[in-house]
Amino acid sequence: MIKHNPPSPEPLHRTIARFGDVTVLVVGDFILDRFVSGVIERISPEAPIPVLHGKGESLNMGGAGNVVSNIVSLGAAAIPVSVIGADQAGNNLMRMLSEIGVDTDGLLQRQDRMTSSKSRFSALNQQVLRFDEEEIKPLTSAERAKLIDHFQAALGRADIVILSDYGKGILLDGVAGELIAICRDAGKPVLVDPKGHDYARYAGATAVTPNRKELGEAVGRKVFGDDEIVAAARDLIAAHDFEFIVATRSEKGMSVVSAEDARHISTQAREVFDVSGAGDTVIASFALSLAAGADRVHAAVIANAAGGVVVGKRGTARLNVEELSGALFRSHGPAHTDAVLDASAAARMVAAWKEEGLTVGFTNGCFDILHAGHVSLLHAARSQCDRLVLGLNSDDSVRRLKGPGRPVNNQHDRACVLAALASVDAVVVFEEDTPLKLIEALLPDILVKGADYTIETVVGADVVQKAGGRVVLVDLVAGKSTTNTIGKLRAAN
């Protein structure tokens, strides 16, 4: 199967710019995700089990709720329709939806229904236990009638529909098929994130979005290579009248298959922290792209980039337009200009990373001619944190510090080279002689400098420490510096 070159980034970014005009109707299983972090320092005297000493917890919307959350964070409007419990978990979901500006009129709370919730317990970023509270049962006839009424009332305001099936009961017993039939009669596209192996329940949908394992289960055989993916997808298309299938393939990217055509989009290599909710992000961004006018291949490229961002976050994650645009630029060409930010954009990015529970590190320098010492410093800095921001002296700043013959490479070239390094997540050029203003704006968790400094002489150390962060001094590679490199070049001439 031929791999097609990716489309140019310009139409992709035009599509993203239209997300704000899109409204998505989301129906499915709304789940409350709870994340508890702590440390394990001893074994219980009551049983041979570790004792987790809790340090904090957070609540997130999972399932169809995470789809809604991603739609809103990407600048679009979402209309949720479902049935949840009149319990604490359900109340938390209603509150969180209201906090992000979502109309919850389409959510019915019932006393005799339990809201599904999943509690994940982690120590040192390693999940040690998951505790699920749920009761799987189909809708009653009254609940079903109410859900259909809400759905039909909202459909006229929606550009596209997502059915998010987590198998908790909302879409069981023919509900999915009834909603798909209503969409087809209204001429509205409907995408399904499927559950289980019986895709007959989704017959007539515009598309389904299984992962590779789910695709194999649906056709009753294991699928791995491109040809096997295409064959399995076309079997399902023929059997259930889908227009196309979007198959997500983890590190191998994504395949978009119709009866006539198949396209395979490669993924970017990324550090994977957590795949929780990545499928929600993929279907949300794919639906938004289709509704914003993209063809299915362009929509898949955008969704593939979106999924690549959220697997680098911890917990049930969502992304914003800035992160998505950056990921698309990163996948198109060597310049990596997505990671080169101004101070205000960097501050927003750092805030978003911190909100996801990631630790943010900062280091700075001129980085005029990149050498092994620089690479070692940046690698060591990145090992201390989840995300690393590099403050880069501007050309004028370098001249003031190093003399009129410097820099050898201008700030644009230096920034692009540094942004291409796996250890660097963002580069910010600053005009001042020191990065103090930038450090005050970003307030990183960790400030990293070479061991030729002392903590007392590191610019911004007091700012970071006062905010609860720490300063780390890392060993340098002896004899490696830009000045030495320039000296050797001059001596050779």
Side-chain angles (χ1 to χ4, degrees):
M1 184 60 61
I2 296 173
K3 294 287 195 299
H4 297 268
N5 292 326
S8 64
E10 288 78 11
L12 304 179
H13 289 277
R14 286 196 294 270
T15 296
I16 294 173
R18 292 192 290 267
F19 280 2
D21 300 326
V22 175
T23 299
V24 186
L25 177 52
V26 181
V27 187
D29 301 296
F30 282 71
I31 300 169
L32 182 71
D33 282 339
R34 176 174 172 249
F35 297 89
V36 180
S37 61
V39 295
I40 295 175
E41 297 175 335
R42 63 190 179 96
I43 301 298
S44 172
E46 303 165 0
I49 56 173
V51 176
L52 179 69
H53 180 63
K55 294 292 186 180
E57 70 173 73
S58 62
L59 299 178
N60 295 92
M61 291 181 285
N66 192 36
V67 177
V68 170
S69 180
N70 274 275
I71 290 166
V72 173
S73 68
L74 286 169
I79 306 173
V81 171
S82 190
V83 182
I84 61 176
D87 48 23
Q88 186 59 50
N91 292 339
N92 280 324
L93 284 174
M94 296 290 276
R95 174 184 56 78
M96 288 188 283
L97 287 165
S98 297
E99 286 174 351
I100 61 173
V102 173
D103 186 347
T104 58
D105 287 349
L107 291 177
L108 177 64
Q109 285 191 276
R110 296 296 294 258
Q111 292 286 349
D112 56 351
R113 194 166 196 92
M114 176 186 289
T115 304
S116 295
S117 65
K118 300 177 183 178
S119 298
R120 298 171 175 88
F121 299 85
S122 299
L124 295 176
N125 298 320
Q126 176 64 50
Q127 190 174 141
V128 296
L129 177 70
R130 196 180 94 177
F131 174 55
D132 291 2
E133 298 170 274
E134 61 186 20
E135 181 183 16
I136 298 173
K137 65 178 183 179
L139 299 176
T140 66
S141 57
E143 290 169 344
R144 180 170 180 159
K146 195 72 173 177
L147 181 137
I148 297 297
D149 285 346
H150 283 309
F151 182 81
Q152 289 178 316
L155 188 59
R157 294 181 281 140
D159 301 292
I160 195 166
V161 175
I162 293 175
L163 303 186
S164 179
D165 193 352
Y166 272 75
K168 307 305 179 188
I170 300 301
L171 296 172
L172 291 178
D173 285 4
V175 172
E178 187 172 354
L179 297 177
I180 290 167
I182 293 171
C183 289
R184 292 190 67 150
D185 289 344
K188 296 292 176 79
V190 54
L191 308 179
V192 181
D193 189 356
K195 187 72 172 179
H197 57 81
D198 180 14
Y199 283 22
R201 71 181 75 172
Y202 312 123
T206 306
V208 292
T209 62
N211 60 35
R212 181 192 58 77
K213 181 175 180 290
E214 291 168 337
L215 180 64
E217 291 172 347
V219 295
R221 61 183 185 271
K222 293 183 179 180
V223 295
F224 294 99
D226 292 350
D227 291 343
E228 293 171 324
I229 293 284
V230 172
R234 286 180 175 161
D235 285 350
L236 294 177
I237 289 169
H240 306 305
D241 195 26
F242 304 134
E243 287 187 27
F244 60 95
I245 283 179
V246 181
T248 56
R249 303 172 63 184
S250 300
E251 75 282 355
K252 293 188 179 299
M254 189 178 292
S255 297
V256 185
V257 183
S258 69
E260 301 81 24
D261 187 40
R263 301 287 291 268
H264 305 286
I265 297 103
S266 298
T267 193
Q268 294 172 241
R270 294 189 68 94
E271 186 173 7
V272 176
F273 280 115
D274 197 337
V275 297
S276 301
D280 304 326
T281 302
V282 166
I283 197 169
S285 52
F286 187 86
L288 287 176
S289 301
L290 275 186
D295 63 35
R296 64 188 67 157
V297 175
H298 283 193
V301 171
I302 292 171
N304 189 50
V309 172
V310 298
V311 296
K313 300 183 177 187
R314 290 193 172 94
T316 309
R318 60 179 183 172
L319 80 163
N320 55 42
V321 168
E322 188 172 66
E323 291 172 310
L324 178 54
S325 296
L328 288 170
F329 268 125
R330 185 180 290 275
S331 64
H332 288 84
H336 299 274
T337 52
D338 65 295
V340 183
L341 307 173
D342 60 28
S344 60
R348 293 193 298 273
M349 188 71 82
V350 167
W353 286 335
K354 288 183 176 182
E355 187 179 341
E356 298 293 339
L358 303 176
T359 56
V360 179
F362 179 91
T363 192
N364 65 278
C366 299
F367 297 91
D368 191 0
I369 298 177
L370 195 66
H371 53 70
H374 289 144
V375 175
S376 176
L377 169 68
L378 294 173
H379 178 76
R382 185 59 162 75
S383 71
Q384 298 289 324
C385 56
D386 298 322
R387 296 289 184 270
L388 179 65
V389 180
L390 190 154
L392 184 66
N393 291 79
S394 70
D395 290 347
D396 288 341
S397 176
V398 174
R399 275 189 285 272
R400 290 193 298 270
L401 294 171
K402 303 289 186 179
R406 302 280 298 275
V408 175
N409 296 302
N410 66 40
Q411 65 193 46
H412 175 268
D413 290 349
R414 288 183 288 128
C416 287
V417 169
L418 290 162
L421 297 177
S423 54
V424 176
D425 296 288
V427 177
V428 186
V429 177
F430 61 92
E431 296 290 341
E432 300 79 17
D433 290 348
T434 77
L436 181 59
K437 283 180 60 178
L438 184 56
I439 292 170
E440 290 173 337
L442 302 183
L443 286 181
D445 302 298
I446 300 167
L447 181 57
V448 182
K449 287 295 286 183
D452 53 338
Y453 284 81
T454 64
I455 290 180
E456 291 75 24
T457 59
V458 173
V459 171
D462 55 337
V463 174
V464 171
Q465 291 173 324
K466 186 176 180 180
R470 58 191 176 94
V471 181
V472 176
L473 303 180
V474 300
D475 292 333
L476 300 177
V477 178
K480 300 295 182 182
S481 73
T482 299
T483 300
N484 286 346
T485 302
I486 294 172
K488 289 178 182 179
L489 291 171
R490 287 173 175 165
N493 292 328

